[in-house]
Each structure stands twice: as C-alpha cells, then as structure tokens.
Amino acid sequence: MQLRYSFRLTPEPGQRTALARAFGCARVVFNDAVRARRDALAAGRPYPGVGELSKRLITQARHTPERAWLGGVSSVVLQQALRDAESAYSNFFASLKGDRPGPPIGEPRFKSRKDTRQSIRFTKNAKWKLDERGRLILPKIGPVKVNWSRTLPTTPSSVTVIKDSAGRYFASFVIDTDPQADAATMPDTDRAIGIDLDLAHFAVLSTGEKIDSPRFLRRAEKKLKMAQRNLSRKQKGSKNRDKARNKVARAHAAAADARNEFHHQLSTRLIRENQAIGVENLAVNGLARTRLAKSVHDAGWTQFVNMLEYKAARYGRTFVRIDRFEPTSQTCSTCGHRDGPKPLDVREWACSACGTLHDRDVNAAINVRTAAGLAAPACGAPVRPGTPVPAQREETGSHGIPTPTCAA
C-alpha cells in the first residue's frame, strides 16, 4: 500500500524564491501542454504524445530566448508537470467513455499564478536526499529544514513540495508499506461495531457511545467573520489586501487542521479497538445542497469514512458500507419490526411490536452493524476489497517495498 507522510518545511528567503521559480516553471510547462493539445484538436491533428511534448516544450524550449529560464529548475519537475497534464487528459477521456467511476470531470484547464495551492514533485531521478541533519536537499534549491514529527518507516519513492493558500510549505513523502507488517502491529480482537453518523453527535456507535461533534468551523466563525470583514475593506491589488487574505486563509487552515487531527485520532482508535466496522453510505453531496450544508461540510464525514476504509485495509480489518436506503432508523434492533419513518425531532421511540424503548441513533448504529453482517464475532475476518490508496499513483517513482529505513 502507498501512503503519504506530510511534514512542515521552513525554507529560507532565498529558497522561497527558488521554490516560487520552480512552481512557475512547472505551471508554464503544464499550460503549454494543455495549449498544444487544444491546438491539435482545433487543427484536426492527433494529440501529441508525451515524448514529443517533452522534446518540444522542455528540451528545445530551453534553448529559446522566450523559455531560457526553464533551465533554472530541475528537469524532473518539468517532466512531472507533463505527466500531470497527461494524467488529467487520461482521466478526462476515461470519464467521457464511462470507464472512470464517480461524477464526470471536465477538460483540463490552464493553471493560474493566483491559484491558492501550488506544488512540484521530485522523483528518485532528481537525486534528492536527506542529509545527516534531517534536511531535505532538493536540486537547484538546496537543503531545506524539515520539522520532523515522526520517523519515516521506509525509504520514500518521491517527494512533493506543496505551498498552500496560507503560505505554508509542506513536504509530502510517498512510501510503500508492507501490509503484513502493518497488520502485525494491531492486536486481533473479536469486536464489531456499526457507526451512525449524525449532526447532533458526530458519530454514535452500536455500543451506545456517543461522540460529540467538535464543530471546528462553527467555533471559528467569529474570528473568520472579523477577518473576512477586514479583507473586504482592503483595496484590490494592494499588499494590505494580500496580508488580509492570508489571515483568512490561516484561519480556515487552522479549522481544517483541527478537523483532520480529530478524524485521524478517532479513526485510529476505532480501527485499533474493533476487528470489523460498518458504516452507512451517506449521500453527502445531496445533504450539502440543503440548509444544513455548512454543518455537513463542518463534520467532514467523507474524509472520516475514507480514513476508516484505508486504515482498515492497511491493518487487516474488515470495513463494510451499507446502502443509504437501508431503513436503519425505522427498524427495531430487538425484534426486527419495521415501525415506519419518523420525523427528525423524535429522538426516542418505543417499538409497537415488542415495546422496547430505543434511542434513535443507537438503534440505527446497531442496525448498521446487523445490515453489514457484523453481528457475529469478526476475529480474523478478511479485508474487504476496495481501493484504499490515499497516495496518487503518479507520485510514485519506484515499485515494491524498499528495505532500508529512512530515519528523520
């Protein structure tokens, strides 16, 4: 399995300039590739291949006065920009043919220098490395300080340098892990749970535990309101407006980071304590178009469920999604009698068949576990098939599991 480990970078002023130059060159090569594809379509010619684009947009362009500055960055960065353009067009055509799951995607667009997120990727061909002091040495950029929070389990196959909307720099390492070694780190257990996701509580477990929703965006609304108001008063194009925009971005980033940390801690705890987990497949896109849109986005259910899925596959747990139309809130978990739909303000109800008094959310969580087929002990259950690879395939520069370790 391929995973991504992200660490904060602290580049010096000169290195920030070099990174900005690399971001710009990668963006120009990507836009040139998109323009070449569009020109070929307009002229009725076949699309140029990656080899032809590499020769024309990188090798030959470096010797022209208009693109001579492309020689100031690593050629691997430019080659990876071409691969990104090629991958974008491959996904676009696969979506048109119906071969790509999910909603349809549009044709690749030009990148702008005003984009809030910029990134460049270095594979092993770039010969980047980590020195004895734990600094990340990048070609034509130099040694960049990394704020290590943990040790990399294996040697990375590639590294992506990212600058987010708040002006922060990150190094994202892609590593190959051994599923058998990861599964050995988690002790086996015979527990199986169902999870009911809700807005009143973030999650309700079939064991009766209710996990409160932190509501990170709601708690940061007052600070965001003041920052947005300050931004609206600044003149467009001024440096003060850029500073105010950065404050708004940092406030949003703080809420997103806190939400991400909460999801990681909770998902890891549930995976460690349970051998099998059942979750309802919610239509988050539909819920996000209602009056509860802000609360739905603040909860981040999709990110949390995706974490559960890939961690279950990594550590040898069973993860099951049940259909969203399963009547988990209408069925009695004791006798199985279907009591019919109920308004959302009804939080407790008594079964008309057996008379059992149910908590609405706990009863739904128990029915989720039953519908997923996890009512019996699940010790040693096989891993459910899926695609739990959070790292992009294009970010890998090697295959297999490296044997040497890389200590931070």
Side-chain angles (χ1 to χ4, degrees):
M1 176 181 291
Q2 296 172 343
L3 298 177
R4 185 184 297 114
Y5 282 66
S6 295
F7 301 91
R8 184 78 176 270
L9 294 180
T10 310
E12 299 177 355
Q15 295 172 345
R16 292 174 184 265
T17 303
L19 287 173
R21 186 185 304 112
F23 291 145
C25 292
R27 181 181 64 250
V28 167
V29 171
F30 182 90
N31 291 342
D32 288 345
V34 174
R35 186 179 296 107
R37 291 285 185 110
R38 294 187 177 182
D39 292 344
L41 178 63
R45 301 190 306 267
Y47 281 136
V50 179
E52 180 183 350
L53 290 177
S54 176
K55 181 179 179 180
R56 189 203 315 172
L57 302 180
I58 299 178
T59 306
Q60 296 178 355
R62 284 180 169 183
H63 298 87
T64 61
E66 297 81 7
R67 292 286 191 269
W69 34 266
L70 289 177
V73 300
S74 173
S75 60
V76 174
V77 171
L78 308 181
Q79 294 289 345
Q80 294 302 310
L82 283 181
R83 288 189 61 185
D84 291 341
E86 180 71 14
S87 176
Y89 271 99
S90 299
N91 293 335
F92 169 62
F93 292 132
S95 179
L96 288 180
K97 297 177 182 178
D99 298 335
R100 187 178 188 272
I105 60 176
E107 183 182 1
R109 297 177 296 179
F110 294 111
K111 292 185 177 181
S112 173
R113 67 175 63 184
K114 296 182 180 180
D115 289 343
T116 57
R117 183 184 184 276
Q118 303 183 54
S119 64
I120 53 176
R121 186 166 58 254
F122 298 88
T123 59
K124 284 190 174 181
N125 294 333
K127 298 182 180 180
W128 61 271
K129 60 181 180 179
L130 298 170
D131 62 6
E132 63 280 356
R133 299 175 57 183
R135 296 179 300 178
L136 176 62
I137 301 179
L138 299 174
K140 297 191 177 182
I141 294 177
V144 184
K145 182 181 177 181
V146 185
N147 298 331
W148 298 101
S149 57
R150 51 185 169 175
T151 302
L152 293 175
T154 58
T155 302
S157 58
S158 68
V159 59
T160 303
V161 180
I162 304 170
K163 181 182 179 182
D164 65 359
S165 59
R168 304 176 302 176
Y169 294 85
F170 294 91
S172 177
F173 299 93
V174 175
I175 64 171
D176 298 315
T177 62
D178 187 356
Q180 296 181 355
D182 291 337
T185 61
M186 287 287 181
D188 291 338
T189 177
D190 58 352
R191 294 183 56 184
I193 62 168
I195 303 177
D196 178 65
L197 300 175
D198 196 2
L199 290 178
H201 298 85
F202 177 78
V204 179
L205 308 183
S206 57
T207 57
E209 179 184 358
K210 296 184 178 181
I211 302 171
D212 293 333
S213 178
R215 299 178 180 177
F216 297 104
L217 182 60
R218 296 288 186 181
R219 288 159 51 184
E221 276 187 335
K222 184 176 180 180
K223 184 177 181 180
L224 280 170
K225 179 181 179 181
M226 297 176 60
Q228 290 281 9
R229 183 181 299 172
N230 188 30
L231 174 62
S232 65
R233 295 170 179 168
K234 297 297 184 290
Q235 183 180 359
K236 292 185 178 181
S238 63
K239 292 185 177 180
N240 286 334
R241 182 178 178 84
D242 188 59
K243 294 178 182 178
R245 185 209 60 80
N246 204 345
K247 288 184 179 180
V248 175
R250 288 200 302 268
H252 278 290
D257 291 345
R259 184 186 303 109
N260 186 60
E261 181 69 15
F262 169 74
H263 289 167
H264 269 297
Q265 292 182 357
L266 179 59
S267 60
T268 302
R269 179 173 74 88
L270 294 178
I271 290 296
R272 182 185 299 111
E273 296 175 353
N274 302 278
Q275 187 71 24
I277 296 178
V279 181
E280 186 177 2
N281 187 17
L282 296 175
V284 178
N285 291 334
L287 294 172
R289 291 193 293 266
T290 65
R291 60 184 180 86
L292 302 174
K294 182 180 290 187
S295 298
V296 170
H297 287 303
D298 192 11
W301 291 330
T302 301
Q303 176 179 261
F304 173 70
V305 173
N306 290 339
M307 287 183 182
L308 284 176
E309 185 174 11
Y310 89 80
K311 290 181 181 180
R314 180 184 182 185
Y315 295 109
R317 304 310 203 201
T318 300
F319 179 83
V320 182
R321 293 176 186 257
I322 70 169
D323 187 25
R324 67 174 67 104
F325 299 107
E326 188 74 23
T328 56
S329 299
Q330 306 175 20
T331 306
C332 175
S333 59
T334 302
C335 65
H337 174 70
R338 185 170 177 177
D339 219 16
K342 302 168 185 61
L344 291 177
D345 59 345
V346 177
R347 309 313 302 175
E348 292 184 354
W349 58 279
C351 177
S352 59
C354 63
T356 305
L357 182 63
H358 293 291
D359 182 282
R360 181 191 183 104
D361 299 328
V362 176
N363 177 74
I366 297 175
N367 288 331
V368 168
R369 184 189 64 180
T370 304
L374 306 177
C379 184
V383 177
R384 190 173 180 84
T387 55
V389 183
Q392 297 294 328
R393 183 180 62 182
E394 291 79 7
E395 292 190 9
T396 60
S398 63
H399 301 281
I401 302 171
T403 52
T405 58
C406 181

